[in-house]
């Protein structure tokens, strides 16, 4: 049996009928075509499917679509505005924080949630915030540097 | 002014913005109208005869479109090395491990496909199984392949120099044994593929692979499709590290089911299936003896390897050779003896993983060096510096070190880590250790015997002259090869980097053996350079004709053209260009003729401007059996220093600091080089401290998830100092060579040597869990 859900995804209202066993990850990828959110394990281990729900980073493979009813979801597709990269995305590109890119959307969204809460995080706070996002390519160093850079760049923009 | 305008910079990678915004398309992101969903039935038992397969119930399930077993797929044998084709797409007489493929289903959706699998009834006669490589070698052990008695998949016996005589002249011989554990590559993107047959009988296979070329050949052979009718396309790939270096049952099943149904078929492995398919790092047992003179001169090495291969060969023939050949350097030896055995067991097949075949034996060897240095009362760095090779040296097994910044690497990590102030001076529980290594810059020979070019490249200039597109079959898998090719093309053409596009990973574009053995930069780089040179020369010819000057007086740099180093008189070309593009908003300007105007002139005179390049290595290596494995046009090398803290009560290890130096020849892109270095360290740290695929007593994997199979997180990695050493490699494009795999070589032994320094415990079995080290600490206390 399908359940009607209504939620906000990347600033747009969405209404849909979903099966009760469909995950938010499946709903985003298959129903909405938002394939920027990645499926890495389906068990909440890898963090590749991280999206932001009501300001909190969540593994969308562990959230049912029906649980997202009435919530506000931000996926990687909703981060760049007016065709311009978000400062976190820009820093990831410039600092070499991206290799295969499969963890990147989730990693960027975890960073986004962190910087919203703590605009000037310490290195340890950054490492803690992304510790649920596995990356097999980079050794994390350039990701940490990119998040530090993004924090600076956001601060500078807000100050000006 | 730098010698280069584009090379050796930190240019951001081409695919960065697409990947940062979620727009980059990976295979699982693709869909086609009418697409079906495929799934594979895998054996639940480790060893058994297949008595009967009944698909009658499954085929009647609503929504099931096709079911394939060995009956439909045929029994053509395949594998990686033609010398050991020992797999069929589906098991027909026997299953040999938990996960062996038996059948595949295509259905309208995932749930239906899964339900259909549960309705296929397979009757087995279970056979005794063997899971341990030492047990498998014993007389009376269950036989896994009839053709390979004693479960002996491959044996290697090599001797370089007279090892017995060399050992006799040694003052000291030190022995060591070492055991690593089976690894999983744990790339974050599970394998996925999408196969579609056109009405013209042509197969297009989109797949998450490192090697479109080899996948094309294997799929063609196994399914009996003319190779010209198979096109393999590699979308963005979420990491490979080795196991995505061969055609998978997933790819062949999708292609077969698409042929059977006439519809596109998409398939993917679950995370558990990634572990079951495996093809990752083998388990190695190493037995080694090193003979030296009293002054520390290394003389002779005896090395024995036993590899747990799992149920099939995969890359294993190369692996068992590499475990020997990759100890030939970077130290001078008078003699080296190697005996290697790869053994079948009833577990998933092992294959290639970063540092193919070399990592475990390098770990054993570099520990042995430290043990020997200690007995001689020498500093481990002194001992290594005394014995290292230099550019121009040839190893005892005939590998030619045409460039080798080994000394520079060792000195860089010694100074970068403050070694002299720390070694022997750290408080209890803290330790410092170092190690070295080297690796190939591309295998010297293809996997199948052939005179094929290893890489070809086509570069095509747009008709306005503004954009150069590099067309290559090479495989961007995250390492950055597209960006490297763009940079080499820009530098060679004298064009701006932003005017280069790269289309890659498609067998229709060019021949390229793919992303394995750290070969793309050197080999595809050569072909890219040649293609770009051809275009540059053509443009120069046309310019010379037009302006009545000599072609040799014309040079290209950073998007501009120079005549005898100056602007020259190009007014008529510019006037014509502007006339042709009246009303356009970006007319060429400035005191120099632009590349765009020059390339447009060439188009007007000669039609579409195309350049082609090609590369294959010269004949390399000795003439002994197996001499091909380990050969390469060039070798990268590296040294690392690691500092650890060990909790002496619990045995818990924290890696505090890592200093890494790698000689990659000219660093085409410094950021990408550091990325490979840092990623290698993380993978090495994981293998050293946590990673182990575990099995129960019936051959089922116990930890087939990324929660239970632990890879390093951001909290496990220390801050790393990455030092790039750049010996110019005479055989590399612009002096470049490898970084992607060699960088992992020193990591495990450097950590192990640091743990010894901290505790006095010589760990000879991985991973170094707290428990294992705690037991070692206890044993030391009891003995004290």
């Amino acid at each position: 049996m399908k359940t009607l859900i209504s939620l906000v995804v990347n600033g747009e209202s969405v209404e849909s009928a979903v099966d009760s066993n469909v995950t938010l990850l499946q709903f985003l990828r298959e129903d909405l075509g938002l394939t920027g959110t990645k499926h890495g394990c389906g068990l909440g281990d890898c963090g590749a499917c991280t999206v932001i729900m009501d300001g909190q980073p969540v593994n969308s493979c562990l959230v049912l679509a029906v649980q997202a009813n009435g919530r506000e979801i931000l996926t990687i597709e909703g981060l760049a505005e007016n065709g311009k990269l978000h400062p976190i995305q820009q820093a990831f590109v410039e600092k070499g924080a991206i290799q295969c890119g499969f963890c990147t959307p989730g990693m960027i969204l975890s960073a986004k949630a962190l910087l919203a809460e703590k605009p000037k995080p310490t290195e340890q706070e950054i490492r803690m915030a992304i510790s649920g996002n596995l990356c097999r390519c980079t050794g994390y160093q350039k990701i940490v540097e990119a998040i530090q850079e993004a924090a600076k760049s956001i601060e500078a923009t807000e100050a000006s | 002014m730098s010698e280069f305008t584009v090379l050796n910079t930190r240019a951001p990678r081409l695919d960065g913005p697409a990947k940062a915004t979620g727009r980059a398309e990976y295979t699982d992101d693709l869909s086609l109208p009418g697409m079906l969903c495929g799934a594979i039935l895998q054996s639940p038992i480790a060893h058994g005869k297949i008595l009967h397969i009944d698909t009658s119930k499954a085929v009647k399930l609503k929504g099931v479109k096709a079911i394939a077993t060995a009956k439909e797929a045929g029994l053509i044998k395949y594998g990686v090395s033609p010398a050991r084709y020992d797999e069929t797409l589906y098991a027909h007489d026997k299953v040999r491990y938990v996960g062996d493929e038996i059948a595949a289903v295509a259905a309208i959706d995932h749930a239906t496909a899964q339900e259909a699998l549960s309705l296929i009834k397979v009757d087995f006669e279970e056979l005794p199984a063997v899971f341990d490589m030492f047990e498998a070698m014993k007389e009376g052990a269950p036989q896994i392949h009839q053709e390979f008695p004693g479960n002996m998949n491959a044996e290697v016996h090599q001797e370089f120099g007279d090892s017995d005589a060399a050992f006799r002249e040694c003052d000291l011989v030190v022995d060591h044994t070492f055991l690593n554990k089976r690894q999983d590559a744990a790339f974050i993107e599970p394998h996925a593929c999408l196969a579609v047959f056109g009405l013209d009988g042509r197969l297009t296979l989109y797949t998450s692979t490192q090697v479109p070329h080899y996948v094309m050949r294997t799929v063609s052979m196994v399914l009996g499709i003319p190779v010209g009718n198979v096109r393999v396309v590699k979308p963005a790939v979420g990491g490979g590290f080795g196991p995505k270096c061969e055609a998978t049952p997933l790819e062949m099943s999708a292609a077969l089911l698409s042929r059977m149904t006439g519809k596109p078929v998409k398939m993917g492995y679950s995370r558990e299936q990634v572990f079951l398919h495996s093809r990752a790092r083998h388990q190695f047992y190493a037995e080694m003896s090193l003979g030296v003179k009293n002054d520390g001169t290394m003389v002779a090495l005896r090395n024995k390897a036993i590899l747990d291969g799992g149920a099939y060969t995969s890359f294993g023939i190369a692996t068992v050779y590499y475990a020997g050949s990759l100890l030939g350097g970077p130290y001078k030896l008078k003699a080296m003896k190697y005996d290697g055995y790869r053994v079948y067991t009833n577990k998933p097949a092992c294959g290639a993983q970063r540092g193919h075949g070399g990592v475990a034996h390098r770990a054993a060897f570099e520990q042995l060096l430290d043990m020997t240095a200690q007995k001689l009362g020498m500093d481990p760095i002194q001992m290594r510096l005394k014995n290292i090779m230099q550019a121009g040296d040839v190893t005892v097994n005939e590998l030619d070190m045409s460039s080798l910044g080994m000394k520079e690497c060792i000195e860089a990590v010694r100074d970068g880590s403050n070694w002299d102030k720390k070694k022997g001076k750290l408080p209890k529980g803290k330790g410092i250790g170092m190690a070295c290594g080297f690796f190939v810059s591309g295998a010297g020979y293809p996997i199948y015997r052939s005179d094929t070019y290893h890489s070809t490249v086509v570069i095509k200039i747009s008709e306005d002259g503004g954009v150069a597109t590099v067309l290559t079959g090479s495989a961007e898998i995250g390492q950055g090869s597209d960006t490297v090719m763009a940079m080499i093309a820009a530098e060679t053409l004298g064009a701006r980097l932003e005017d280069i596009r790269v289309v890659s990973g498609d067998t229709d574009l060019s021949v390229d053996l793919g992303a394995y053995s750290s070969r793309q930069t050197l080999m595809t780089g050569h072909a890219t350079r040649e293609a770009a040179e051809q275009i540059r020369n053509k443009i120069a010819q046309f310019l010379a004709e037009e302006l009545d000057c000599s072609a040799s007086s014309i040079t290209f740099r950073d998007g501009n053209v120079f005549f005898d180093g100056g602007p020259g008189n190009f007014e008529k070309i510019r006037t014509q260009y502007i006339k042709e593009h009246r009303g356009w908003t970006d007319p060429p300007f400035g005191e120099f003729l632009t590349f765009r105007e020059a390339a447009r002139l060439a188009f007007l005179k000669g039609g579409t401007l195309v350049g082609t390049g090609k590369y294959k290595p010269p004949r390399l290596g000795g003439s002994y059996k197996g001499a091909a494995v380990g050969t390469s046009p060039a070798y990268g090398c590296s040294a690392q220093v690691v500092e650890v803290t060990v909790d002496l009560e619990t045995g818990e290890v924290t890696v505090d600091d890592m200093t890494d130096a790698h000689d990659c020849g000219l660093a085409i892109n410094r950021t990408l080089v550091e990325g490979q270095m840092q990623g290698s360290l993380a993978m090495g740290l994981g293998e050293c401290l946590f990673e182990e695929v575990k099995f129960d007593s019936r051959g089922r994997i116990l930890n087939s998830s990324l929660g239970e199979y632990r890879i390093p997180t951001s909290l496990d990695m220390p801050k790393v100092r990455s030092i790039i050493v750049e010996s110019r490699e005479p055989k590399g494009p612009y002096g470049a060579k490898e970084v992607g795999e060699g960088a992992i070589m020193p990591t495990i032994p450097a950590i192990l040597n640091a743990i010894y320094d901290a505790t006095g415990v010589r760990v000879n079995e991985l991973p170094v869990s707290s428990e294992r080290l705690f037991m070692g600490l206890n044993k030391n206390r009891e003995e004290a």
Side-chain angles (χ1 to χ4, degrees), chain B residues 150-171:
Chain B
N151 295 315
M152 192 52 66
N153 170 233
E155 252 182 85
V156 180
H157 303 285
Q158 295 176 332
E159 183 167 11
F160 307 98
D162 184 341
S163 63
D164 284 341
F167 271 105
R168 275 196 301 274
E169 66 178 78
C170 293
D171 298 317

Side-chain angles (χ1 to χ4, degrees), chain B residues 119-238:
Chain B
L119 295 174
I120 298 175
K121 194 169 174 301
V122 186
D123 294 327
F124 297 103
E125 178 193 326
E126 204 160 343
L127 297 168
V130 59
F131 304 114
D132 177 88
M133 56 184 171
F134 302 107
E135 293 296 320
M137 291 168 83
K138 286 183 183 161
E139 226 179 274
Q143 291 299 292
I144 298 171
H145 290 267
Q146 205 186 342
E147 308 87 319
F148 295 95
N151 295 315
M152 192 52 66
N153 170 233
E155 252 182 85
V156 180
H157 303 285
Q158 295 176 332
E159 183 167 11
F160 307 98
D162 184 341
S163 63
D164 284 341
F167 271 105
R168 275 196 301 274
E169 66 178 78
C170 293
D171 298 317
L172 173 70
V173 176
V174 184
D175 305 321
H176 184 44
T177 64
F178 185 73
L179 185 70
N180 78 329
K181 293 293 157 60
R182 167 189 288 252
Q183 249 188 301
D184 184 84
F187 32 77
I188 311 298
E189 180 209 22
H191 307 74
C193 63
L194 169 59
V196 51
F197 262 93
L199 292 174
D200 56 0
R202 262 206 106 189
L203 168 68
T204 303
L205 178 63
Y206 303 89
T207 182
S208 171
T209 185
Q210 300 174 236
V211 287
H213 175 80
Y214 290 123
V215 171
M216 174 186 76
R217 287 179 59 95
T218 306
V219 169
S220 159
M221 180 182 82
V222 172
L223 299 183
I225 310 167
V227 72
N229 277 355
V230 180
R231 175 185 174 209
V232 175
V233 182
K234 177 213 66 66
V237 168

Side-chain angles (χ1 to χ4, degrees), chain A residues 21 26 29-30 34-43 45-48 75-80 83-86 88-90 92-105 107-108 123-145 148, chain B residues 10 12-13 15-17 19-26 28-30 183-190 236-239 241 266 270-271 353-354 476-479 670-672 674-676 678-680 682-683 686-687 691 704-709 711-722:
Chain A
N21 63 350
Q26 289 170 319
R29 286 182 59 84
E30 292 163 25
L34 295 172
T35 54
T37 306
K38 300 301 176 199
H39 173 98
C41 69
L43 297 168
D45 291 327
C46 75
T75 74
I76 193 68
E77 288 90 347
L79 209 52
K84 202 165 167 280
L85 296 183
H86 183 277
I88 302 175
Q89 293 171 317
Q90 190 65 38
F92 267 62
V93 171
E94 279 168 14
K95 286 284 168 185
I98 300 169
Q99 286 188 29
C100 87
F102 206 75
C103 74
T104 304
M107 201 65 90
I108 287 176
E123 183 186 331
Q124 192 57 24
E125 284 168 339
I126 293 173
R127 287 186 180 271
M128 190 62 88
I130 59 167
S131 62
N133 295 86
L134 296 176
C135 168
R136 191 59 152 170
C137 294
T138 64
Y140 302 101
Q141 182 145 324
K142 290 185 184 297
I143 294 174
V144 171
E145 287 167 9
Q148 288 169 328
Chain B
R10 294 185 174 275
R13 50 185 304 140
D15 56 9
K19 285 176 171 173
T21 52
R23 291 185 200 186
E25 284 191 319
Y26 298 79
D28 191 40
D29 302 337
L30 307 176
Q183 249 188 301
D184 184 84
F187 32 77
I188 311 298
E189 180 209 22
V237 168
F241 311 114
K266 185 160 148 183
S270 66
R271 180 54 63 179
Q353 188 172 328
R354 194 175 220 159
E476 166 66 76
I477 58 166
Q479 84 282 43
R670 305 186 72 81
T671 304
L672 290 177
E674 289 168 356
Q676 289 300 305
Q678 292 163 6
S680 292
M683 190 173 277
E687 178 170 7
E691 295 184 34
S704 57
S705 73
L706 294 176
E708 289 162 291
Y709 180 88
I711 65 171
T713 70
S714 50
L715 294 170
D716 297 308
M717 282 304 293
K719 204 163 182 167
V720 175
R721 257 183 301 279
S722 307

Side-chain angles (χ1 to χ4, degrees), chain B residues 539-775:
Chain B
I539 297 175
Q541 282 297 338
F542 286 125
L543 279 174
E545 282 169 29
E546 180 74 7
L547 299 177
D548 198 21
C549 62
S550 120
S552 62
S553 71
I554 303 172
T555 50
F556 301 80
R557 190 179 169 94
D558 202 17
N560 290 321
V561 184
F562 302 83
F563 300 88
D564 284 322
N569 183 8
F570 58 84
E571 230 15 75
K572 64 174 177 176
I573 300 176
R574 176 152 299 171
T575 307
Q576 187 183 8
Y577 193 97
I578 291 174
K579 264 190 195 164
E580 278 194 302
H581 297 85
R582 204 177 292 281
W584 294 34
T585 54
D586 59 342
F589 64 94
E591 68 170 308
F592 299 103
L593 182 70
T594 62
F595 180 84
R596 175 163 53 131
E597 294 162 280
R600 172 70 185 174
L601 176 83
F603 166 75
L604 292 175
K605 287 181 172 288
T608 296
L609 193 53
V610 174
T612 61
K614 61 196 180 308
Y615 178 80
K616 67 175 155 185
R619 207 198 160 278
L620 295 165
S623 52
Y624 56 90
K625 187 169 190 290
V629 184
T631 60
S632 176
Y635 297 89
C637 63
S638 50
Q640 286 164 25
V641 168
V642 171
E643 291 171 58
V644 299
T645 301
V646 177
D647 184 324
L648 297 173
E649 297 304 313
T650 65
E652 190 185 356
V653 177
T654 307
V655 176
D656 300 320
D657 202 279
M658 300 173 108
T659 307
D660 178 17
H662 190 97
D663 170 20
C664 61
L666 178 88
I668 301 285
N669 183 309
R670 305 186 72 81
T671 304
L672 290 177
V673 167
E674 289 168 356
Q676 289 300 305
M677 291 168 69
Q678 292 163 6
S680 292
L681 261 59
M683 190 173 277
L685 183 144
E687 178 170 7
C688 186
L689 299 182
F690 331 119
E691 295 184 34
E692 174 182 7
V693 178
K694 294 178 182 173
F695 293 85
D696 70 7
S697 62
R698 298 177 65 188
R700 294 173 297 199
I701 300 178
L702 287 166
N703 54 345
S704 57
S705 73
L706 294 176
E708 289 162 291
Y709 180 88
R710 214 184 130 204
I711 65 171
T713 70
S714 50
L715 294 170
D716 297 308
M717 282 304 293
K719 204 163 182 167
V720 175
R721 257 183 301 279
S722 307
I723 304 164
I724 301 174
V725 171
E726 296 174 283
S727 69
R728 292 291 178 89
E729 167 56 48
K731 296 184 206 153
Y734 292 103
K737 51 185 182 176
E738 74 84 34
V739 62
E741 297 182 80
I744 198 174
M745 290 293 172
T747 309
I748 295 170
I751 297 172
L752 294 173
N753 287 338
I755 290 172
Y756 178 81
D757 190 48
T759 62
V761 177
R762 182 53 74 186
V763 181
N764 63 356
E765 183 175 345
L766 297 183
V768 191
S769 58
S770 297
E771 184 188 2
R772 197 181 312 282
L773 190 50
F774 175 80
M775 300 301 275

